[in-house]
Amino acid sequence: MEIQRRPGGRSARVRDAVRQATLVELTQHGHQGLTVENVAKRSGVHKTSIYRRWGSPEGLIADALELAASEPWPIPDTGTLVGDLRAITELVRAGFADPRGGPVASAFIVAAMQNSAAADAMRIFTTSRRTQSAELVRRAVARGELAAEVDAEELVRYAVAPIYYRLFITHEPVTAEDAVKAADAALAAARAGVL
Amino acid sequence: MEIQRRPGGRSARVRDAVRQATLVELTQHGHQGLTVENVAKRSGVHKTSIYRRWGSPEGLIADALELAASEPWPIPDTGTLVGDLRAITELVRAGFADPRGGPVASAFIVAAMQNSAAADAMRIFTTSRRTQSAELVRRAVARGELAAEVDAEELVRYAVAPIYYRLFITHEPVTAEDAVKAADAALAAARAGVL
């Protein structure tokens, strides 16, 4: 059985089916519950083909992450830099709190810590998101809100870092106020000439 | 066979032997290579006793983390807040880069993502370190370097967050310059009244 929705050769259709099945399995069972057997069952692709091409559950996660990176991501445009940065940090906070998307996103992060292919995929994914987000900093520079010398990507990195730190390092809750503070702190550092 | 170096009852000696063996195993084989069998062999404590008391490799890690939290930690005292904060962020950066301590510290972080007992231990550990570090902020307030309203623990959290973010989320390298910048950014945010 193959999914026929997308154009492309047999190989592309198999890959698509396996990546979609991986995302669904991650949503339902998390990183630790992901098995090649279950992805085979859900995708209709034979187990031995999956082992040959993806190697392991971590290989499946790395490939699914590439799919996630290609999905459209809403870059906020509130009219002010502080509004845009707060929207970004709130998007990150709410994303991990979401009962559907949160476990998948967390599974990606855990997999990246345990597998170098997943870590590479994570680096590519976060670079893509950060490059897109840096657009809002460039718009602020164009509006005269911020000095042109500010490192746009570094500002985005600093805005989201405290949220990830609480979620995945110290295991502390993250409130909407924490998201606002993280954005404001990064902006303050940028305005002080540090970023 | 039991380690007799420390005072305390048999139970305390067994616990100590198992925790030390866990740390050595983590250093040599990392989180994924940690097995109850190897800890049993190294500690001289029977496998079934370890299973009964610690349950799993993650249980062993959680307990070893408690031991790590009780170890003395050098709080810097350079004479200025910026110097102290930079010393803290450099300590974190160098700690993870250290070939002996780095893999153990990383193993703790990965285990905490996969096991709630390890996550609880990690929360206690980071709270302890942060409470100790907040002392340098209080000294700076006493010297008149910083407003008394600044949240000392939040300032420490913000100083280290960008380092952990690069190491464990985006999997980017962390340079000594990154450590300096992380400290300076947190301080700028605190001086701007955000933290």
Side-chain angles (χ1 to χ4, degrees):
Chain A
M1 194 187 85
E2 286 179 14
I3 290 178
Q4 300 286 351
R5 292 175 295 119
R6 290 195 185 186
R10 182 178 183 284
S11 170
R13 286 195 306 273
V14 165
R15 186 180 180 200
D16 188 47
V18 168
R19 296 204 291 187
Q20 297 286 356
T22 301
L23 286 180
V24 176
E25 285 292 322
L26 278 177
T27 308
Q28 294 186 355
H29 308 295
H31 168 245
Q32 283 173 302
L34 186 74
T35 65
V36 170
E37 282 73 13
N38 289 346
V39 171
K41 218 174 285 176
R42 187 176 292 277
S43 65
V45 176
H46 201 278
K47 209 169 72 174
T48 53
S49 309
I50 295 181
Y51 274 116
R52 201 168 45 234
R53 186 158 169 183
W54 284 273
S56 66
E58 281 72 24
L60 286 168
I61 289 174
D63 201 28
L65 194 47
E66 245 191 79
L67 180 66
S70 69
E71 278 174 12
W73 198 55
I75 303 297
D77 193 1
T78 64
T80 66
L81 179 55
V82 65
D84 287 355
L85 281 174
R86 287 178 178 184
I88 291 266
T89 58
E90 174 57 23
L91 211 59
V92 171
R93 186 201 67 78
F96 284 106
D98 179 62
R100 204 188 64 86
V104 178
S106 301
F108 285 146
I109 287 170
V110 174
M113 290 203 188
Q114 302 192 289
N115 177 274
S116 66
D120 291 342
M122 194 68 191
R123 199 180 307 109
I124 292 166
F125 173 75
T126 53
T127 302
S128 153
R129 284 283 163 94
R130 195 171 51 244
T131 310
Q132 290 175 60
S133 310
E135 176 58 25
L136 61 86
V137 180
R138 285 186 287 269
R139 282 196 311 244
V141 171
R143 281 193 305 259
E145 271 196 84
L146 200 69
E149 292 71 31
V150 169
D151 182 337
E153 293 198 20
E154 191 75 331
L155 174 48
V156 174
R157 220 184 248 112
Y158 271 70
V160 298
I163 298 170
Y164 285 94
Y165 178 69
R166 293 183 77 105
L167 284 174
F168 296 104
I169 308 297
T170 61
H171 301 274
E172 297 173 282
V174 182
T175 65
E177 290 71 35
D178 288 321
V180 168
K181 199 197 282 183
D184 292 1
L187 187 51
R191 292 214 158 116
V194 178
L195 305 181
Chain B
M1 194 185 85
E2 285 179 17
I3 291 177
Q4 300 284 352
R5 291 176 295 119
R6 291 196 184 185
R10 183 180 183 281
S11 169
R13 287 195 307 272
V14 165
R15 186 181 181 201
D16 189 46
V18 168
R19 297 203 290 186
Q20 297 286 357
T22 301
L23 286 180
V24 176
E25 286 292 321
L26 279 176
T27 307
Q28 295 187 354
H29 308 295
H31 169 245
Q32 283 172 302
L34 186 75
T35 66
V36 170
E37 281 73 13
N38 289 346
V39 171
K41 218 173 286 175
R42 187 176 292 277
S43 64
V45 175
H46 201 278
K47 210 170 69 172
T48 52
S49 308
I50 295 182
Y51 274 117
R52 199 169 44 235
R53 186 156 168 185
W54 284 273
S56 67
E58 281 72 24
L60 287 168
I61 289 174
D63 200 28
L65 195 46
E66 245 191 80
L67 180 65
S70 70
E71 279 173 13
W73 199 56
I75 303 297
D77 192 1
T78 64
T80 65
L81 180 55
V82 64
D84 287 354
L85 282 174
R86 287 178 178 184
I88 290 267
T89 57
E90 174 57 22
L91 211 59
V92 172
R93 185 201 69 78
F96 284 106
D98 179 62
R100 203 188 65 85
V104 178
S106 302
F108 285 146
I109 287 171
V110 175
M113 289 202 188
Q114 302 192 287
N115 176 274
S116 66
D120 291 342
M122 193 68 193
R123 199 179 307 109
I124 292 166
F125 173 75
T126 54
T127 301
S128 154
R129 285 282 163 96
R130 196 171 51 245
T131 309
Q132 290 175 63
S133 309
E135 177 57 25
L136 60 86
V137 180
R138 283 186 288 269
R139 283 196 310 244
V141 170
R143 282 193 304 262
E145 271 196 84
L146 199 69
E149 292 70 33
V150 168
D151 182 336
E153 294 199 18
E154 191 75 331
L155 174 48
V156 174
R157 220 184 249 115
Y158 270 71
V160 298
I163 298 171
Y164 285 94
Y165 179 68
R166 293 183 78 104
L167 284 174
F168 296 103
I169 308 297
T170 61
H171 300 273
E172 298 174 280
V174 182
T175 65
E177 290 71 37
D178 288 321
V180 169
K181 198 196 286 183
D184 292 1
L187 187 52
R191 292 214 158 116
V194 177
L195 305 181

